[in-house]
Amino acid sequence: MSTPAAQKTAISPRREEDFPEWYQQVVRAAELAESSDVRGCMVIRPWGFGIWENMQRQLDGMLRATGHRNAYFPLFIPLSYFAREAEHVEGFAKECAVVTHTRLEVDADGKMKPASPLNEPLVVRPTSETIIGASYAKWVQSYRDLPILINQWANVVRWEMRPRLFLRTTEFLWQEGHTVHETETEARAETKQMLDVYEKFVRDHLAIPVFSGEKSESERFPGAVQTLAIEAMVQDRKAIQAGTSHFLGQNFSRASGIQFQNREGKQEFGWTTSWGMTTRMVGTMVMAHGDDDGVILPPRVAPTQIMILPITPKEDTRARVLEACDALALQLRGKHFADCPLEVEVDRRDLGGGVKNWEWIKKGVPIRVEIGPRDLEKNSVEVSRRDQPIKAKESMSIQEFAAGAPEILMSIQQNLYDRAKKFQEANTHVIESKKEFYDFFTAKNASKPEIHGGFALAHWNGSRAVEEKIKNVTAALTSAATATSPAKFAEDVHKTGGPIKEDGLRYSMGAALRILNS
């Protein structure tokens, strides 16, 4: 008996066949981005950049609501600035791009070459703690000058040997917040507040559930006292770091000379934080929600939320159909979703209806609306939701759809979150033994590993040596540790089989096969 043929999909391979390659094909099919001629760098195409612009605008509003303001600092950082904070420069040294010359000149062979060596090399911004610290040292003189709450939207360069579009590229876009506070308590509260902002943004705007907590010492930002992070699970059950917030203590203040006269008239170093989120979130969103037919966009960040597709098989009905489409678009643009006017387009291109329909399926537009001559006769439209099966359509009167479009978008947004939450919960497991831990993170097919693993909630005695062993054996990484209820176990059955920590705290570790390192 013959085996039924697999259902044809727009993207090949399918997720379960080769998830990393599926992701690359989805990004290309949706025209989100492409590799550039500069190795490790990407070209973000208009549809992908439209998603990033929406993320940027919405997150920026949340940052401003917490009292932060935007500024801009230099792209080039003197090498000596990095040398002031030894742990920081060591952490970024292998990723730095360095400018050593100015001017180009033509040599005797007619080739261009650098001409004038710089007195001091300039590092192309991998992060901005040191260069921003130099400005803060000038601005801060008294406790009355604090706090300083500044955010920067910028590009960053970190040399990448194994680039993947949006996830890891040599140049990427991000926001980085940098603050100075009068007290340690205020700085720690800021660190937690910004992590909460990120968690709310990712949950409510990108429809992605996350785990949040503290990173282990080995995963900590170079030079930080504490790093907090949110971790998202994508559909191959791996984790992506979705946002980080760092309590820097007084380390960078000492390195940059950020001092102020405190309320007792004594000189004191400021307490600083930094926090950031990047274009990696575009890739995270694709991997969290996409299917074998392409991207599925949460309506809150979709560049176009409703795409109207005119069906014009005959020239004599074309004008009437287009007029109806334009009238519906105008009506919809007067309505609001998530406090913003609806983003609506009419695809008037002279292409076949099937071609246009599949293009917008692959790009993930939340709602597609078809209007043809027969629909006009019935005063109706055919509505397709991207979060439902591709062939699913609902016939609605034009008035009913126009009135209910914002509610449909809200339903899609919530459905995507609920689906992702259900997936996360189904693939998060409490691990009670060392054998169970290794089995959980070991593929059954070693030659061609299937999708396996997930998030493990397990005991950990806090040992860095144990953590390194786990990474080397299983590639699992500790993530988002949080102290919870006292453990009632006689021994730590997580990694070493050794005794649990004396304080009896049970640590909840999202030890996941992080896609970024696979």
Side-chain angles (χ1 to χ4, degrees):
M1 185 176 178
S2 61
T3 303
Q7 181 179 350
K8 186 175 181 181
T9 58
I11 305 299
S12 180
R14 295 191 300 275
R15 287 164 293 177
E16 70 272 13
E17 295 172 338
D18 187 340
F19 192 85
E21 182 59 25
W22 166 85
Y23 170 74
Q24 299 285 5
Q25 293 303 324
V26 167
V27 170
R28 292 189 181 97
E31 297 182 348
L32 299 180
E34 63 189 26
S35 298
S36 80
D37 291 342
V38 181
R39 188 186 183 282
C41 295
M42 65 176 171
V43 175
I44 305 178
R45 300 187 65 175
W47 188 249
F49 200 76
I51 297 169
W52 174 244
E53 284 180 314
N54 284 341
M55 291 184 181
Q56 181 182 25
R57 183 178 65 253
Q58 293 164 29
L59 180 57
D60 192 67
M62 298 173 73
L63 300 182
R64 293 183 67 85
T66 51
H68 301 84
R69 295 296 178 263
N70 291 326
Y72 187 80
F73 296 87
L75 173 67
F76 302 111
I77 304 172
L79 183 60
S80 60
Y81 282 34
F82 275 86
R84 296 172 185 172
E85 219 298 324
E87 186 178 350
H88 186 64
V89 68
E90 182 181 355
F92 282 104
K94 295 180 180 179
E95 300 177 347
C96 287
V98 184
V99 178
T100 58
H101 289 70
T102 65
R103 296 177 52 240
L104 293 173
E105 64 182 16
V106 180
D107 64 16
D109 297 325
K111 296 181 179 179
M112 303 293 291
K113 67 176 185 178
S116 302
L118 293 173
N119 292 331
E120 179 179 7
L122 298 173
V123 178
V124 183
R125 174 175 53 221
T127 183
S128 299
E129 280 76 10
T130 56
I131 190 67
I132 291 179
S135 291
Y136 286 0
K138 301 173 187 175
W139 300 352
V140 176
Q141 303 299 322
S142 164
Y143 70 89
R144 295 182 179 89
D145 298 323
L146 300 174
I148 292 180
L149 308 173
I150 287 181
N151 176 65
Q152 170 176 245
W153 292 94
N155 61 338
V156 170
V157 172
R158 297 180 185 175
W159 215 257
E160 181 56 53
M161 301 306 294
R162 294 188 298 170
R164 299 185 68 190
L165 296 174
F166 288 112
L167 301 179
R168 279 194 177 274
T169 51
T170 294
E171 180 189 19
F172 56 90
L173 306 179
W174 77 346
Q175 59 76 212
E176 52 177 324
H178 297 270
T179 68
V180 188
H181 302 267
E182 181 181 357
T183 68
E184 177 181 0
T185 300
E186 290 176 2
R188 286 188 180 274
E190 166 79 1
T191 306
K192 181 60 167 63
Q193 173 185 241
M194 300 323 296
L195 187 77
D196 292 343
V197 167
Y198 288 153
E199 182 172 0
K200 179 177 175 58
F201 172 74
V202 173
R203 180 188 68 232
D204 295 349
H205 295 250
L206 306 187
I208 300 174
V210 296
F211 280 111
S212 64
E214 182 176 354
K215 304 291 281 187
S216 66
E217 182 183 356
S218 68
E219 293 287 302
R220 193 179 295 159
F221 179 75
V225 175
Q226 179 189 50
T227 289
L228 305 180
I230 55 173
E231 302 275 348
M233 180 187 290
V234 293
Q235 291 180 73
D236 62 350
R237 306 184 202 168
K238 296 178 182 177
I240 294 187
Q241 185 173 278
T244 53
S245 186
H246 315 291
F247 169 61
L248 305 177
Q250 294 177 312
N251 294 343
F252 285 88
S253 287
R254 294 180 186 277
S256 299
I258 306 173
Q259 289 182 280
F260 65 95
Q261 187 179 63
N262 65 20
R263 295 173 190 269
E264 286 73 44
K266 299 178 181 179
Q267 287 294 305
E268 184 177 346
F269 288 102
W271 299 85
T272 65
T273 78
S274 67
W275 26 272
M277 183 173 283
T278 79
T279 39
R280 179 185 297 165
M281 289 312 304
V282 177
T284 303
M285 182 186 62
V286 170
M287 299 175 95
H289 298 309
D291 64 13
D292 294 332
D293 291 311
V295 174
I296 300 179
L297 292 178
R300 293 195 73 164
V301 294
T304 300
Q305 295 160 331
I306 301 174
M307 181 60 67
I308 301 175
L309 303 173
I311 307 300
T312 56
K314 297 180 180 179
E315 189 60 35
D316 59 349
T317 58
R318 178 180 174 81
R320 193 159 60 93
V321 169
L322 290 176
E323 182 181 354
C325 291
D326 290 338
L328 177 58
L330 184 63
Q331 186 177 0
L332 289 169
R333 290 176 187 133
K335 297 185 178 296
H336 287 70
F337 168 69
D339 299 323
C340 295
L342 296 187
E343 296 289 343
V344 185
E345 288 187 37
V346 177
D347 190 341
R348 306 171 69 93
R349 294 175 299 168
D350 187 16
L351 294 172
V355 173
K356 290 193 286 189
N357 190 45
W358 274 106
E359 177 178 329
W360 297 115
I361 288 171
K362 289 184 285 188
K363 288 189 171 184
V365 169
I367 298 176
R368 306 183 313 283
V369 181
E370 295 181 0
I371 302 180
R374 293 180 181 177
D375 300 304
L376 292 183
E377 292 175 2
K378 298 183 293 184
N379 191 40
S380 66
V381 293
E382 294 288 321
V383 179
S384 301
R385 294 171 44 149
R386 187 61 183 89
D387 64 326
Q388 294 182 349
I390 294 302
K391 295 183 178 180
K393 291 183 180 181
E394 182 179 0
S395 181
M396 305 173 65
S397 73
I398 293 177
Q399 293 78 8
E400 181 186 5
F401 172 69
E407 287 71 26
I408 298 174
L409 291 170
M410 181 58 72
S411 173
I412 296 172
Q413 183 83 24
Q414 186 63 47
N415 186 39
L416 291 180
Y417 177 81
D418 292 343
R419 204 153 67 185
K421 182 67 173 176
K422 182 178 180 181
F423 181 84
Q424 180 204 61
E425 291 175 346
N427 293 288
T428 300
H429 300 277
V430 176
I431 301 296
E432 301 287 2
S433 71
K434 183 177 178 180
K435 180 181 184 303
E436 188 181 354
F437 183 87
Y438 280 107
D439 288 346
F440 184 69
F441 286 114
T442 301
K444 293 181 175 59
N445 186 344
S447 60
K448 188 178 180 181
E450 73 284 0
I451 292 176
H452 65 285
F455 285 177
L457 303 179
H459 302 291
W460 181 39
N461 68 356
S463 165
R464 186 162 184 169
V466 167
E467 184 181 12
E468 290 301 319
K469 179 182 177 182
I470 292 295
K471 290 179 185 179
N472 293 335
V473 175
T474 70
L477 297 177
T478 55
S479 163
T482 5
T484 57
S485 59
K488 297 179 180 178
F489 297 86
E491 60 180 18
D492 176 2
V493 292
H494 166 31
K495 297 177 180 176
T496 63
I500 200 162
K501 294 182 72 173
E502 290 182 359
D503 60 10
L505 291 176
R506 180 179 184 178
Y507 286 87
S508 175
M509 302 296 299
L513 291 171
R514 186 177 295 172
I515 188 72
L516 304 178
N517 290 343
S518 64

